[in-house]
Amino acid sequence: MYDAKVRGKNRYSICTSDMREDMQRRMVLTNSLLRALERDELRVFYQPQIDTATRGIVGYEALLRWENPDLGLLPPGMFIPLAEQTGLIRPIGEWVLRTACRQNRLWIDRGLPPRRMSVNLSVEQLRDRHLSDQIRSVLSETGMDARLLQLEITETAAIQADEPVVQMLSEIKKLGISISLDDFGVDYSSLSRLRELPIDHIKIDMRFVRGIEAGSKDEAIARTIIQLARNLGLQVLAEGVEHMHQYRFFARERCDEIQGFLFYKPMPPAQLEALL
Ligand code: C2E
Ligand code: MG
Ligand code: MG
């Protein structure tokens, strides 16, 4: 039924053995994801974000990984959609937030310079009425400075955000937390939403970054997003910078920040700490 719906509804689909296997795989994964939290199999990796002008680290993005005993280290793309469908994203999201805040506080306590910590929020978390209370208690529990916390919401989530969600975001912002619009430019980017949403920061999606070369359309789009952010008084970051010519482009266009494999990959906290 879902297969028929995904293919445009009002049609039928024949269940194949491939589909059955896929379903079984998802069921097994859902069951073990349920226990991953309890068994302490989730990990947070951190990827530095760079000031384009100075090349100094301005912050880190917390990125979830699952150390699955059978399948190895799994990237979030393989299990976050499942977690969202099953409601598991709420406890998992809270765990990521607490872990990242605790880590940030720990680094500061060890004498490292205070830097921003960005945590991804799923649209399911935004729909949770208790989210701002949850964030408040994580902040007080971990001793994290709210001004160092940034929450990333995807453009898709932002477009879906109804009035209660916008209000919740404003409430969160009042705590001193900044809000970033992730994967900007991918979906249909609603300019009126940009005006209404309480955001501080935009992340240009890596799809545009990949196509950066002289005279390309992606270059024109990236340039336009940077200009748009500047005119709205927002900070702007380019995501997925892998090559020097891409970095040079964003430096020339005075994009505030960049993040990408050219400088750093996401890494476990101990590795980042050694590097810092
Ligand atoms: P995102 O928030 O847009 O995160 C950036 C993704 O781009 C990360 O993938 C990162 O490893 C990857 N990346 C960074 N620089 C480069 C580069 O130069 N080249 C390439 N090819 N990739 C680069 P990752 O860690 O696999 O995460 C994928 C997505 O999963 C994230 O996209 C985010 O939407 C979601 N995600 C990750 N952690 C969490 C979490 O704790 N909660 C929620 N709700 N979603 C999360
Ligand atoms: Mg992100
Ligand atoms: Mg992104």
Side-chain angles (χ1 to χ4, degrees):
M1 180 183 75
Y2 286 118
D3 184 67
K5 283 186 170 180
V6 166
R7 288 157 180 260
K9 305 182 179 170
N10 196 24
R11 57 188 296 156
Y12 64 85
S13 260
I14 309 261
C15 184
T16 62
S17 52
D18 275 1
M19 271 187 214
R20 206 188 311 267
E21 269 169 34
D22 190 51
M23 222 156 64
Q24 256 153 11
R25 221 180 1 251
R26 285 161 53 98
M27 256 164 63
V28 170
L29 215 57
T30 307
N31 282 333
S32 46
L33 185 55
L34 245 163
R35 267 162 297 170
L37 250 180
E38 301 160 12
R39 290 183 182 157
D40 198 27
E41 291 169 5
L42 298 181
R43 305 280 174 263
V44 179
F45 278 29
Y46 299 90
Q47 185 181 28
Q49 300 173 327
I50 311 288
D51 180 305
T52 313
T54 66
R55 302 192 192 192
I57 295 173
V58 288
Y60 326 103
E61 178 172 11
L63 294 160
L64 186 59
R65 301 286 181 265
W66 176 11
E67 213 171 283
N68 185 293
D70 304 318
L71 304 170
L73 197 67
L74 299 182
M78 285 190 71
F79 61 91
I80 291 231
L82 256 186
E84 285 177 331
Q85 284 159 22
T86 53
L88 278 172
I89 193 67
R90 288 188 184 180
I92 290 177
E94 186 180 358
W95 179 86
V96 173
L97 183 69
R98 181 172 296 112
T99 306
C101 288
R102 194 177 285 148
Q103 186 63 67
N104 197 274
R105 181 60 211 233
L106 193 73
W107 280 332
I108 293 170
D109 288 346
R110 289 190 181 155
L112 295 172
R115 283 179 185 137
R116 187 180 69 204
M117 178 63 80
S118 297
V119 178
N120 293 285
L121 277 193
S122 147
V123 63
E124 288 307 318
Q125 289 171 277
L126 287 174
R127 292 204 186 105
D128 183 352
R129 284 181 298 116
H130 305 298
L131 180 66
S132 60
D133 290 337
Q134 191 187 91
I135 293 172
R136 241 187 298 260
S137 71
V138 167
L139 288 176
S140 72
E141 197 186 303
T142 57
M144 168 87 176
D145 180 351
R147 285 165 304 180
L148 291 178
L149 180 61
Q150 181 169 71
L151 297 174
E152 297 191 3
I153 59 171
T154 62
E155 186 183 36
T156 320
I159 285 167
Q160 288 172 19
D162 52 10
E163 189 46 36
V165 170
V166 175
Q167 246 168 34
M168 162 104 67
L169 286 174
S170 307
E171 227 175 277
I172 291 171
K173 221 178 114 97
K174 278 196 204 117
L175 299 173
I177 296 167
S178 62
I179 305 207
S180 177
L181 206 52
D182 206 348
D183 305 342
F184 188 80
V186 175
D187 255 308
Y188 88 102
S189 317
S190 164
L191 295 182
S192 63
R193 266 344 328 236
L194 268 187
R195 198 184 39 170
E196 289 157 14
L197 288 167
I199 56 166
D200 312 87
H201 194 263
I202 288 182
K203 296 182 82 172
I204 305 175
D205 192 79
M206 61 179 91
R207 267 164 266 199
F208 303 113
V209 175
R210 221 166 270 154
I212 295 291
E213 50 190 279
S216 72
K217 285 186 181 165
D218 284 337
E219 205 183 72
I221 292 172
R223 193 176 285 131
T224 307
I225 298 176
I226 295 168
Q227 195 63 50
L228 179 68
R230 191 170 300 138
N231 292 347
L232 289 170
L234 306 172
Q235 293 270 101
V236 58
L237 177 147
E239 208 170 24
V241 173
E242 291 182 354
H243 302 288
M244 206 54 204
H245 74 274
Q246 297 165 339
Y247 166 75
R248 279 198 216 98
F249 169 81
F250 287 106
R252 202 165 54 234
E253 295 297 325
R254 284 185 289 125
C255 178
D256 303 297
E257 300 166 354
I258 58 155
Q259 178 180 349
F261 295 171
L262 177 64
F263 288 91
Y264 304 101
K265 288 191 171 171
M267 54 190 119
Q271 192 182 336
L272 181 54
E273 194 175 321
L275 186 142
L276 292 168

